[in-house]
């Protein structure tokens, strides 16, 4: 058995299926490039047959991203498999990942197919995929609620038809570590039958909060691939979290005894990028990448850590890219200081983008005394990039219990400043109405969340919005010391996406 654990990252496929996430093909490419920098082994770039947008995203990633194997999901349908192959064929290395449901409830209620028909479709699907590429993965969906005898028979048939990876999904997050180890052990013994070219894999959902524990426990039963997503995003309660798996096998090498190729120092940046583009905040106490993951609050802990970090820290913050760099920018910071701070967080900005972000830092520093590393990262990511983006210039709002809330927003459109007004139930609503005027679109608000970035009354707020325009969803993020202005900035980011970053005709 190999000692190498394959990290199969599905942030862009299962992760993107999480409610309210709507990544553009360009954003998916940015995440895929970061996943390549993290050196995951496989990037599941999407489900090519599911939409034109997903097809475009998978093909862009296949063309541009080098290093990891690029995979697309496909049902056991000829059209799906052909479409996956079309999207992937320019990749350096690629994999077609076919799946079919095998539990009684899925076969009877959802597919309305008999076990024999399911078996036939798996053999046909895997055979068709194998006609295109040698690297084929098969997943029996809802494996943990499938009759084990049927599960083994389907997986064996998939291997006989040419599948090289057999993935065991706990689709509904139902398994416990003890039974998952038992099931994986059975699959490993009875499906690979001693063949070390067949990899057994896990894909665990987190409905009972057991996804990471289940996945890791399967290593003891012979699993050598774990499917996971950055920040644990995914359907419902999410997937196994990539950063937790990577750091668990690194930190407890004595327990797991497997090697990984991932560069854990990229974890923090990857987590923040995914959070920013998906609009899903990272919970403060999130293992490995949460902002409190290395923060020591109590006096006893602080005292211990100051004497020797190892008294209360099992991982070095630098090992996950939380370098502890002390960055403080204030209103007296100049361009050189700003450039130096950007270098420290590994961000490169040029020309207009540099100037815009610098102006924004100065503007915020005038209102708030100091800007720390976390805030700088958000400011930089919040600054509209690209020539065509409509820029938020400023706003006035008025409201109170006896007057109708009203907002006037000023935007930079086609190089000219223009103001637009709107009213609403509250000041955020009024700003949203004014911005829709400015962009000339009608949008619905699907999700709205405010998270404080740092503690204190002068803290900056991070606002995440998801809007719906013409049946499509777009996310945006804005930060500001003022929640209404942060909300307006988030709407501008989402509205820019909805118009493809093109201002309406004057
Ligand atoms: O959860 C699941 O079963 C899946 C499969 C398609 C692998 O995502
Ligand atoms: Zn899944």
């Amino acid at each position: 058995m190999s000692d190498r654990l394959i990290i199969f990252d599905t942030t862009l496929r299962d992760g993107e299926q999480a409610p309210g996430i709507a990544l553009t093909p360009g954003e998916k490419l940015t995440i895929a490039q970061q996943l390549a920098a993290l050196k995951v082994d496989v990037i599941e770039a999407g489900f090519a047959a599911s939409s034109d947008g997903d097809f475009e995203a998978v093909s862009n990633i296949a063309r541009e991203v080098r290093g990891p194997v690029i995979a697309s999901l496909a049902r056991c349908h000829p059209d799906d498999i052909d479409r996956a192959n079309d999207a992937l064929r320019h990749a350096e290395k690629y994999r077609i990942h076919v799946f079919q449901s095998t539990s009684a409830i899925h076969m009877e209620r959802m597919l309305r197919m008999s076990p024999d028909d399911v078996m036939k479709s798996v053999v046909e699907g895997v055979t068709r995929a194998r006609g295109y590429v040698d690297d084929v993965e098969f997943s029996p969906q809802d494996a943990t609620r499938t009759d084990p005898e049927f599960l083994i028979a389907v997986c064996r048939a998939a291997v006989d038809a040419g599948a090289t990876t057999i993935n065991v999904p706990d689709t509904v997050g139902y398994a416990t570590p003890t039974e998952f180890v038992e099931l994986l052990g059975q699959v490993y013994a009875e499906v690979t039958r001693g063949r070390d070219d067949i990899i057994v894999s896990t894909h665990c959902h987190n409905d009972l909060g057991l996804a990471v524990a289940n996945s890791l426990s399967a290593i003891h039963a012979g699993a050598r691939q774990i499917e996971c997503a950055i920040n644990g995003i995914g359907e419902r309660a999410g997937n196994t979290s990539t950063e937790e798996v990577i750091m668990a096998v690194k930190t407890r090498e004595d327990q797991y005894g497997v090697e990984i190729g991932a560069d854990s120092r990229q974890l923090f940046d990857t987590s923040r990028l995914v959070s920013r583009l998906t609009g899903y905040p990272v919970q403060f106490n999130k293992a490995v990448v949460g902002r409190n993951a290395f923060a020591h609050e109590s006096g006893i802990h602080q005292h211990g850590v100051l004497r020797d970090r190892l008294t209360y820290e099992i991982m070095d913050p630098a090992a996950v890219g939380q370098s502890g760099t002390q960055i403080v920018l204030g209103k007296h910071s100049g361009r050189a200081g700003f450039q130096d701070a950007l270098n420290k967080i590994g961000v490169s900005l040029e020309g207009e983008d540099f100037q815009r972000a610098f102006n924004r830092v100065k503007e915020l520093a005038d209102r708030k005394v100091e800007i720390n590393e976390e805030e700088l990262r958000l400011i930089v990511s919040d600054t509209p990039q690209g020539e065509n983006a409509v820029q938020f210039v400023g706003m006035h709002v008025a409201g109170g219990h006896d007057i109708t809330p009203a907002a006037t927003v000023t935007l930079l459109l086609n190089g000219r400043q223009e103001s637009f007004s709107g009213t609403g139930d509250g000041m955020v609503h009024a700003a949203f109405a004014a911005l829709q005027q400015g962009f000339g679109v009608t949008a619905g608000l699907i999700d709205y969340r405010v998270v404080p970035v740092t503690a204190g009354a002068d803290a900056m707020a991070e606002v995440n919005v998801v809007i719906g325009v013409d049946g499509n969803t777009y996310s945006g993020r804005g930060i500001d010391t003022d929640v209404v202005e942060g909300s307006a900035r988030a709407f501008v980011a989402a509205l820019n996406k909805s118009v493809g970053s093109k201002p309406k005709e004057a």
Side-chain angles (χ1 to χ4, degrees):
M1 189 191 303
S2 151
D3 285 340
R4 170 72 188 228
L5 180 72
I6 297 168
I7 301 292
F8 177 115
D9 186 279
T10 184
T11 307
L12 295 172
R13 199 278 297 168
D14 207 315
E16 215 242 353
Q17 285 172 222
I21 297 185
L23 297 169
T24 63
E27 289 170 334
K28 287 191 184 176
L29 181 58
T30 306
I31 292 177
Q33 270 151 348
Q34 179 57 34
L35 290 170
L38 174 62
K39 296 199 172 85
V40 301
D41 300 285
V42 185
I43 296 175
E44 189 164 45
F47 182 173
S50 67
S51 69
D52 290 345
D54 240 34
F55 181 86
E56 187 188 333
V58 176
S59 20
N60 287 347
I61 292 168
R63 273 174 212 278
E64 310 242 344
V65 177
R66 294 290 173 260
V69 173
I70 310 298
S72 170
L73 188 68
R75 287 166 298 184
C76 286
H77 292 175
D79 293 351
D80 269 36
I81 294 163
D82 297 351
R83 196 96 174 116
N85 188 66
D86 278 352
L88 291 167
R89 70 203 156 91
H90 295 292
E92 186 182 34
K93 296 168 275 183
Y94 71 89
R95 172 181 299 184
I96 300 181
H97 175 191
V98 290
F99 76 100
Q100 177 62 289
S101 285
T102 49
S103 64
I105 183 163
H106 278 213
M107 291 191 294
E108 280 162 26
R109 301 286 176 84
M110 189 171 77
L111 301 178
R112 307 225 156 118
M113 281 169 81
S114 69
D116 284 351
D117 289 341
V118 163
M119 177 73 92
K120 189 165 168 278
S121 76
V122 169
V123 173
E124 286 172 0
V126 172
T127 307
R128 192 172 187 96
R130 213 28 229 264
Y132 287 124
V133 64
D134 289 347
D135 190 349
V136 173
E137 171 168 334
F138 169 67
S139 290
Q141 190 172 214
D142 205 14
T144 50
R145 293 192 302 169
T146 297
D147 167 33
E149 212 175 299
F150 184 57
L151 180 70
I152 299 294
V154 176
C155 292
R156 276 186 176 184
V159 167
D160 291 343
T164 44
T165 299
I166 295 295
N167 181 39
V168 183
D170 184 23
T171 305
V172 291
Y174 182 69
T176 65
T178 326
E179 63 188 357
F180 199 59
V181 170
E182 201 178 317
L183 180 66
L184 265 284
Q186 194 183 350
V187 172
Y188 181 75
E190 296 179 29
V191 176
T192 71
R193 287 174 280 179
R195 277 181 60 179
D196 55 16
D197 57 334
I198 305 296
I199 299 292
V200 174
S201 163
T202 68
H203 175 107
C204 297
H205 279 268
N206 206 28
D207 299 66
L208 294 173
L210 293 172
V212 172
N214 283 338
S215 306
L216 292 171
S217 67
I219 296 174
H220 300 301
R224 287 296 176 266
Q225 173 175 289
I226 290 182
E227 300 198 355
C228 42
I230 295 291
N231 298 336
I233 60 172
E235 284 279 2
R236 307 180 310 279
N239 275 93
T240 302
S241 127
T242 305
E243 59 277 9
E244 291 177 26
V245 167
I246 290 175
M247 289 319 288
V249 295
K250 275 189 81 150
T251 309
R252 299 309 309 272
E253 216 241 318
D254 59 321
Q255 285 293 306
Y256 298 112
V258 286
E259 284 164 18
I260 50 168
D263 178 358
S264 62
R265 289 166 307 173
Q266 294 291 333
L267 284 172
F268 187 71
D269 282 356
T270 315
S271 162
R272 290 303 180 269
L273 176 72
V274 169
S275 167
R276 172 164 68 83
L277 296 182
T278 58
Y280 265 47
V282 178
Q283 83 197 51
F284 292 166
N285 59 331
K286 171 81 179 61
V288 180
V289 290
R291 82 166 198 211
N292 293 352
F294 297 94
H296 304 277
E297 178 75 17
S298 94
I300 294 176
H301 287 215
Q302 287 177 351
H303 175 74
V305 170
L306 286 172
R307 290 261 165 101
D308 183 343
R309 188 181 66 73
L310 298 179
T311 51
Y312 286 98
E313 271 180 10
I314 59 161
M315 294 171 271
D316 183 349
V320 305
Q322 292 222 38
S323 56
T325 339
Q326 283 305 310
I327 289 176
V328 181
L329 288 169
K331 63 178 172 184
H332 300 299
S333 305
R335 284 162 184 285
F338 180 57
Q339 181 62 66
D340 184 52
L342 289 180
N343 294 345
K344 282 190 178 137
I345 61 168
V347 170
S348 122
L349 288 181
E350 282 169 12
E352 283 272 297
D353 286 338
F354 179 92
Q355 189 56 43
R356 218 180 283 127
F358 180 62
N359 292 347
R360 181 89 175 107
V361 164
K362 297 293 274 182
E363 184 199 325
L364 284 164
D366 268 346
R367 280 191 254 159
K368 186 181 183 292
V369 188
E370 280 173 347
I371 290 168
N372 65 22
E373 176 178 344
E374 178 102 15
E375 291 166 334
L376 177 65
R377 283 179 188 278
L378 284 167
I379 293 167
V380 170
S381 64
D382 182 45
T383 307
Q385 313 279 309
E387 295 167 9
N388 291 330
V390 174
Q391 312 288 330
F392 174 88
V393 178
M395 70 187 301
H396 291 288
V397 283
H401 69 275
D402 50 355
I403 54 166
T404 305
T408 302
V409 293
T410 304
L411 300 174
L412 188 65
L413 295 161
N414 297 317
R416 247 197 6 241
Q417 286 195 11
E418 282 188 63
S419 296
F420 304 89
S421 301
T423 55
D425 296 337
M427 288 187 276
V428 171
H429 192 209
F432 189 28
L435 288 167
Q436 290 178 71
Q437 295 273 333
F439 277 79
V441 297
T442 305
L445 183 57
I446 296 173
D447 197 12
Y448 175 81
R449 268 168 283 164
V450 182
V451 192
V453 181
T454 42
D458 66 348
M460 287 213 228
E462 174 190 333
V463 183
N464 293 285
V465 299
V466 179
I467 61 167
V469 179
D470 294 336
N472 296 315
T473 51
Y474 305 92
S475 61
R477 167 191 289 213
I479 63 155
D480 203 273
T481 47
D482 180 282
V483 173
V484 183
E485 186 169 327
S487 307
R489 288 177 177 278
F491 287 132
V492 169
L495 286 163
N496 262 323
K497 288 184 192 168
S498 77
V499 295
S501 289
K502 284 194 198 68
K504 71 176 179 144
E505 291 308 316

